[in-house]
Amino acid sequence: DGGITQSPKYLFRKEGQNVTLSCEQNLNHDAMYWYRQDPGQGLRLIYYSQIVNDFQKGDIAEGYSVSREKKESFPLTVTSAQKNPTAFYLCASSSRHYSNQPQHFGDGTRLSIL
Amino acid sequence: EDQVTQSPEALRLQEGESSSLNCSYTVSGLRGLFWYRQDPGKGPEFLFTLYSAGEEKEKERLKATLTKKESFLHITAPKPEDSATYLCAVQAQGNTPLVFGKGTRLSVIA
């Protein structure tokens, strides 16, 4: 079945540690996205990528980094510079960026601080 | 600035009690409006895309409608399994990202 796989489902970060969240898609989509979801807030865009080897900052990119070396993969690193990383992180993809096609989501990674 | 406002924040219905969820939006040209369903601890699941005023889409007990300023998600004779958070998102014309509302948390009681 085609879809988006995020791993791990739960992740714990120690003080001063960088952690990486995995996102893989087999939908052959060009565009991929990372969102952060906090209780009572809408989804906020962290980074997006329109094509391999290209990515752009979203509204809340500070303290995060990404790479897009393969079409299928778009990992997100939460660095120690992100002072409030506890949240639910969602990865999404769409056939093209800025299109009228819907984004499809993975089942998220919940990140907590130890 | 593009904005999306969903109401109510939470809605509690008895099984079989029909109702509507609202999504009001302000954008400089609509490219598409999307409805999603999100279960606790899961990612949003795509339901519908609406492109122009007057358009309607249906799926089982759900019907989405669109005007120039808002969209409604009508739920007919809901069942407990319809309990979830429903998200609305808008894609504007031009190079702007998708804008999400905060969602409506629906609870259907048997």
Side-chain angles (χ1 to χ4, degrees), chain B residues 60-98:
Chain B
E60 295 181 356
R61 295 176 293 282
L62 300 176
K63 183 168 84 171
T65 61
L66 182 65
T67 73
K68 288 187 177 180
K69 293 184 178 180
E70 57 192 350
S71 177
F72 291 93
L73 185 65
H74 306 277
I75 302 176
T76 302
K79 299 182 178 182
E81 53 261 42
D82 294 322
S83 298
T85 295
Y86 291 85
L87 302 174
C88 171
V90 167
Q91 179 69 65
Q93 299 286 351
N95 295 335
T96 58
L98 197 60

Side-chain angles (χ1 to χ4, degrees), chain A residues 61-78:
Chain A
E62 187 174 348
Y64 301 97
S65 65
V66 293
S67 63
R68 186 89 186 274
E69 297 177 0
K70 299 187 300 181
K71 187 175 185 177
E72 302 81 17
S73 179
F74 191 40
L76 173 74
T77 296
V78 183

Side-chain angles (χ1 to χ4, degrees), chain A residues 37 40 98 100 102-103 106-107, chain B residues 31 36 38 43 51 95-96 102:
Chain A
Q37 187 173 39
Y98 298 137
N100 59 8
Q103 293 182 15
D107 272 342
Chain B
R31 181 171 279 168
Y36 291 86
Q38 186 175 22
Y51 296 109
N95 295 335
T96 58
K102 294 181 179 181

